Amino acid sequence: MALADPAQPAPPQSRVKILWPIALGLVLFLMGLWALHHLLASIDVHQVIAQIKATPWPTLGAAVGATALGYLALVGYDFWALHYLGKQLPLRTVALGGFLGYAFGNTVGISVISGGAVRYRIYSAAGLNAFEVAALSSYIALAMGLGLTMVGALALCVHPAALAGVISAPEPVIRIGALAATALILGGAFWLSYTGRALRIRNREIAMPVPRILIGQLGVALFDSTMAAGALWVLMPAGTPPFASFVAIYAAASMVGILSHVPGGVGVFETVVIAALPAGVPLGEAAAGLLAFRMIYFLLPFVIAFVVVSLNEARLAGGWATRVFGEISEPMRPVISGIEGLAPRIAGVAVLGLGFWMVIVALMPVLGRQGGEPGLITAVLAEGGTQLCALAGVLLIVLSHGLVRRVRLAYWLVLAGLVLGVISVLAADLDIDNAVVLSLAAVVLLPFRGAFHRRVALTEGGYGPLWFAVILGMVASAAVFFFLAYAAHPYSNALWLDFTASSPTPRALRAGLLISALLLGFLLWLTLRPMRRFTFSVDPEQDIAVAEILAAQDVPQGWFALTGDKCVMFSPDRSAFLMYAQRGGMRVVLGDPVGPPEAARQLAWEFHERAVSEGLTPVFYEVSTTNLPLWIEMGYALHKIGEEAVVDLQKFSLSGPKFKTMRAEQNRALRDGFTLEIAAPPHAPELIATLREVSDAWLAGQKGREKGFSIGRFDPRYLNHCEIALIRRGGEILGFANLLGGPGARHFAIDLMRYRPEAADGVMQFLFIGLIEALRDRGATELSLGLAPLAGLPDRASARLTSRLGNLIYRHGGSFYNFEGLRRFKQKFRPEWRPHYVALPPGTSPYLALTEITLLISGGARNLLTKD
C-alpha cells in the first residue's frame, strides 16, 4: 500500500476549511470594532472611567443581584435538559456544572474552554457518557436560542419602536412581524411537543420535549433573558427606553452577537445596543454602562468560577484548604476531580485576559494614581513602570498559550510575570488596585501547579490560526482604545522626547511602540522559523524499540506498528510510541499511544502540535476509553465507530446449554482430524510459502485488494514478529491467524484470519475455540476477536447524525460488508463489547475524516471494490 509523503503540505481545501471560519470571525470583530469606534468617536474615555467609578453602590448591587438571578435561571437550562434526556443527577452537581459551564463559556465563547467541555468534565464524572453530554449541550444551545428569540419577539409586540434606530420599518409592520414570529415559535413548538413529531432542517432533526418540560424551559428562558436585560438596564443612563422596550434591544443585540460568532459578541453586542438607543442618551454614559455590564455579567462570574475551581484544586490536594473549607464529600469527589483537566485552559484564558489588561494599563497610565511630586525620580519610576507594565503584559499574552499546553516552564514564568506586573504598576502610578488584582491572580494560580507537567519548548508547535486571530483582535482593540483615549491630544514628534512625570501621553506612545514591536517580532519569528516536520523513520533498530515497549505495556493493538505501512513516532525517552499514516491533509494515528501514561499523554500532545503547525489535521482512529479525559483536554470530539469483542479467557467455558451447538460442532471438527498448532517466530520460509498460498486463495474470494493500516497485511517481515495459529487436517494447513502479543503476554488479539475456501465451514470457529483454550492454559486473561465496525451505535432521534447513519449502514449495508453478520458470529463467544472511537479536533467533519480513513485502509478508492 502506498502512503503519501508525510512532508507534503496540506491541500489548499483543508487549509481553507480551517481558516475561513476564523477569518470570518476576525473580520466581523474588526467591523464591529470599527463601527463602535465610529459611534464613540466623540466621547472622552477619562469621563467614561470616571462614570464607572461614580456608579452608585445601590445601582451596582441591583446589577449584581440581577446577574445572580440570571445565572440561577441559566442552571435551569441544564435541569430541564437532563429531564429531556431522562437523566437524574444530584442538584448540587447540576448547579456546579451549569454555573461553571456558563461562567466560562459566556465569557470566552471559543472552543478552547467552551461550556460543553466544562459540562463534559463534570457530568461524565457523574455518570453521563460523551454522547449524552453532547445531546445535552445541543439541547441547551437550541433552548437558549429559541427562548431569546421568543423574548425579543414578545417585547417587540409590546414596544415595536424599540429597534427604530436599527430597523427602518413602520411600527405597525414591526408589531405584525413580531406577532407572527411569536405565534410561529410558540405554536410550532407546542404542536411539535404535543404530536411528538420532529422538525427536519436539511439533515438535522429537532424534536421538542414533552409539554411539561417545554413549559418549564420557556419559563427559564423568559426569566433568564429578563434578568440579563435588567442587569444592563439599571446601569444605563437617563433617557434609556423603558424596561419592556429595552428587553427587545437586549435580545436583538444578543442574537446578533451570537450569529456573528465573535467570542462573547464583544464589540458587536455593544454596537447594536448603542445604535438602538434614542439620540438623546449620552454616549459616554451609555459606554460606561455597557463596560460595567461586561465586568459584572461576564467577568465577575468568570472570576468567581476561577476561584471556585482553584479552591477545589487546593481541597483535593489537602493542606490548609482542607482545614479551612473541609474535605470534599465522597459523592462530589469524582465530580470535582473531573474539573482538574480544565485547569490549564482556564488558567490560560485568565492569564491572557490579565496580559491584555496590563497592555491597556500601559497605554492609559492615568487610570492609576500618581505617586509623589513631579520630579526626576517620579519621572524615572513612571517611565520605567509603564514600559515594564507593557513588557509584562506582552509576556503574559505569549505565555498564556504555554499554559493551555500544560508547559511547566510557562507556569513559573507566568508567576514571575505577575510579580513583574505588580512592581510595574506600583512604580508607574502607585496603582494599589491593579497590584492587588495581580497579586490575587498569582495566589489563585498556585493550586494549579500540578496541572503543568509538560517539559517541552515554550514555542514548539500549537500556534494555530485561532491564536493569531486572537492576538490581532487584541492589538486592534488596544489601538482603538488608545485613539479614543488620546483623541483630544494633537500628535507631534516632540511627544516622543517628553519624559516628564506629568505627561502620560508620551509614555503611552512609547509603551504602544514597545508592545507593537514585541508582538510583531514574536509573530514574525513564529511565521519564519523552520518547522519540525514528520518523516518516515529510517532507524534500523525501530522494530526492536517497538517490541521492547510492547513487552512492557502488553497492548495487542500496538503490534500493528510492525506492519511496515505506518510511521512510528517515539517519545523523547523512547518509552512510548504511536503509529500513524497520512492521506491528504490528515495525519491519522491508529489507536491510543502505547507506553507509560504520562509519556503517552505527552506524545499525543506533541503529535497534535506538530501536525497543526504544518497545517494538517491530526486524527486518532480506533481509540479506546483509556484516554477519554486526554481527548477532552485536547478539545477533540469523539465519534463511536464500533465495538471490540474481548473474551475473558479465565471465565470462558463450553459447558452449559448456551454452548450446546458450538460444543457439538467442536467435537465434530476434532473427529474430522482438525488440530490447532501455535508456531513461534521466526518462521521457516517453507511455512511462509504455504501460508501465502492459503492467503492468496482467501483473497481471491474477497472484494478489493488486501487492506492495510488498521489491518495487518500478509508480509513475511511482519509475520515473523508474531506467533501464528495453524489449523491442520492430516498435515495440510487449512487456515491460520497471527496473534498480536508476545509469548509471555496476558492480553492477545487476532489479526489476519485466512483459510482455504473449500474448507471454510467451521474453520474460524474451531480456530477461535482452540486459541481460547490454548491461551487460557498459558495463563493469558484476554483475547480480542477484533472490532465489529458500526456496532453498538445509538439509533435514537437525539443521537448524532453520524451515529444514526452508521446504524443504518450496519443494518442494511450487507452488499458492501456483512457488519451485522460479523457481530453475530463474534457474539457466539459471549465477549465483553468495548466501545472504540475516532477522536477529531474541533471543526473536523467526521464524514470527511472517516472517508479518508476508509480510503487509507483500502489503499485508494479503486481498491474498495475491485482488484484491478
Side-chain angles (χ1 to χ4, degrees), residues 745-768:
R746 298 176 62 83
H747 303 88
F748 285 87
I750 300 174
D751 181 19
L752 298 179
M753 295 176 286
R754 299 186 177 178
Y755 50 84
R756 298 184 187 274
E758 64 271 16
D761 187 26
V763 170
M764 285 298 102
Q765 180 173 295
F766 181 84
L767 171 69
F768 281 13

Side-chain angles (χ1 to χ4, degrees), residues 674-680 683 687 723-728 731-733 735-737 739 766-767 770-771 774 778:
F674 281 58
T675 60
L676 172 72
E677 171 192 342
I678 299 180
H683 305 291
L687 176 60
E723 291 183 297
I724 299 180
L726 307 172
I727 303 298
R728 297 180 183 269
E732 180 186 15
I733 296 178
F736 71 92
L739 296 179
F766 181 84
L767 171 69
L771 273 177
R778 283 168 44 170

Side-chain angles (χ1 to χ4, degrees), residues 15-36:
R15 290 180 178 272
V16 171
K17 289 180 180 178
I18 295 172
L19 293 175
W20 82 262
I22 298 173
L24 178 61
L26 179 61
V27 169
L28 291 172
F29 172 75
L30 294 177
M31 290 175 62
L33 200 62
W34 178 85
L36 194 62

Side-chain angles (χ1 to χ4, degrees), residues 68 73 248 255 283 287 348 409 428 483 492 497 551 599 633 649 652 772 790 857:
M255 288 297 295
L283 288 182
L409 180 59
F483 286 116
S492 71
L497 301 177
E633 288 174 17
L649 299 179
F652 181 85
I772 289 172
L790 307 182
I857 294 171

Side-chain angles (χ1 to χ4, degrees), residues 231-285:
L232 177 57
W233 184 74
V234 298
L235 295 169
M236 296 302 286
T240 300
F243 180 66
S245 299
F246 189 77
V247 170
I249 296 175
Y250 174 84
S254 298
M255 288 297 295
V256 173
I258 293 171
L259 294 174
S260 70
H261 294 289
V262 174
V266 177
V268 179
F269 173 85
E270 287 79 4
T271 300
V272 175
V273 171
I274 291 176
L277 292 176
V281 176
L283 288 182
E285 295 181 18

Side-chain angles (χ1 to χ4, degrees), residues 163-308:
L163 295 180
V166 179
I167 303 175
S168 57
E171 290 187 17
V173 174
I174 296 177
R175 176 176 277 118
I176 292 173
L179 285 170
T182 304
L184 180 63
I185 293 171
L186 292 178
F190 278 101
W191 180 77
L192 292 172
S193 177
Y194 276 106
T195 61
R197 298 186 180 183
L199 175 65
R200 183 179 293 275
I201 301 176
R202 293 185 179 179
N203 57 353
R204 295 180 180 271
E205 287 187 355
I206 300 175
M208 287 292 138
V210 297
R212 179 180 63 87
I213 296 178
L214 179 60
I215 293 172
Q217 191 66 75
L218 291 176
V220 168
L222 180 63
F223 190 73
D224 157 45
S225 301
T226 303
M227 289 299 101
L232 177 57
W233 184 74
V234 298
L235 295 169
M236 296 302 286
T240 300
F243 180 66
S245 299
F246 189 77
V247 170
I249 296 175
Y250 174 84
S254 298
M255 288 297 295
V256 173
I258 293 171
L259 294 174
S260 70
H261 294 289
V262 174
V266 177
V268 179
F269 173 85
E270 287 79 4
T271 300
V272 175
V273 171
I274 291 176
L277 292 176
V281 176
L283 288 182
E285 295 181 18
L290 285 165
L291 184 57
F293 172 72
R294 281 283 179 188
M295 296 171 66
I296 292 173
Y297 195 83
F298 294 95
L299 186 58
L300 180 60
F302 181 91
V303 171
I304 293 174
F306 191 22
V307 172
V308 167

